[in-house]
């Protein structure tokens, strides 16, 4: 499937898509739109365009950062699995192995949380049409 991008000059909204929501769904949607500082229409339009890949939520740089952090988490998971295997076979890993793995996991998890918060902030600003 090829997704074509929408030119920025195409600002006039002259087409309508009808979507039905339950009362509970609409209330949740309205609250989310209000929290984002948007109208329900603009919020749904933005999410639809992101979901269709026309205006992706994450840029190329964001995807690269997430891939690097995911690699780091996989490496830490491998280290923790090795420690668990050693314990299950009756070996006692050194305190340094435990401490280093915990430090690494904390560092990557903290970095991941900070990156996700920043990506969310930038995306929300872009969704509202503000400069990121």
């Amino acid at each position: 499937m090829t997704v074509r991008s929408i030119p920025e000059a195409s600002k006039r909204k002259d087409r309508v898509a009808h979507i039905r929501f339950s009362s509970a769904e609409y209330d949740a949607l309205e609250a989310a739109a209000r929290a984002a500082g948007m109208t329900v229409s603009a919020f749904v339009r933005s999410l639809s365009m992101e979901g269709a890949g026309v205006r992706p939520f994450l840029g190329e740089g964001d995807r690269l950062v997430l891939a690097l952090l995911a690699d780091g988490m996989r490496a830490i998971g491998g280290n923790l699995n090795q420690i668990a295997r050693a314990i299950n076979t009756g070996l006692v890993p050194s305190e340094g192995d435990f401490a280093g793995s915990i430090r690494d996991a904390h560092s990557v998890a903290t970095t991941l949380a900070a990156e996700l918060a920043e990506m969310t902030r930038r995306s929300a600003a872009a969704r509202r049409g503000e400069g990121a």
Side-chain angles (χ1 to χ4, degrees):
M1 172 174 101
T2 303
V3 178
R4 75 179 181 101
S5 81
I6 306 298
E8 282 302 313
S10 175
K11 298 280 187 193
R12 185 163 181 254
K13 312 297 187 271
D14 59 353
R15 305 293 290 239
V16 176
H18 296 278
I19 303 171
R20 294 188 185 275
F21 296 99
S22 70
S23 291
E25 289 171 332
Y26 191 82
D27 290 346
L29 183 64
E30 201 170 35
R34 191 172 34 257
M38 301 172 74
T39 64
V40 170
S41 181
F43 190 71
V44 170
R45 184 175 38 258
S46 175
L47 293 175
S48 298
M49 299 304 273
E50 288 171 4
V54 176
R55 280 189 220 132
F57 175 76
L58 297 176
E60 183 62 28
D62 291 336
R63 284 192 291 279
L64 291 172
V65 167
L66 286 178
L68 287 172
L69 290 170
D71 288 345
M73 291 300 280
R74 275 190 287 281
I76 291 166
N79 291 346
L80 293 174
N81 279 335
Q82 288 177 357
I83 290 170
R85 271 192 220 111
I87 291 170
N88 288 335
T89 61
L91 299 173
V92 179
S94 73
E95 189 176 322
D97 288 339
F98 280 124
S101 290
I102 291 170
R103 232 182 354 267
D104 291 347
H106 181 265
S107 176
V108 172
T110 301
T111 303
L112 179 59
E115 287 294 331
L116 288 174
E118 179 58 21
M119 288 174 193
T120 301
R121 186 199 65 74
R122 279 195 313 268
S123 177
R127 187 175 288 129
R128 289 188 301 267
E130 301 168 359

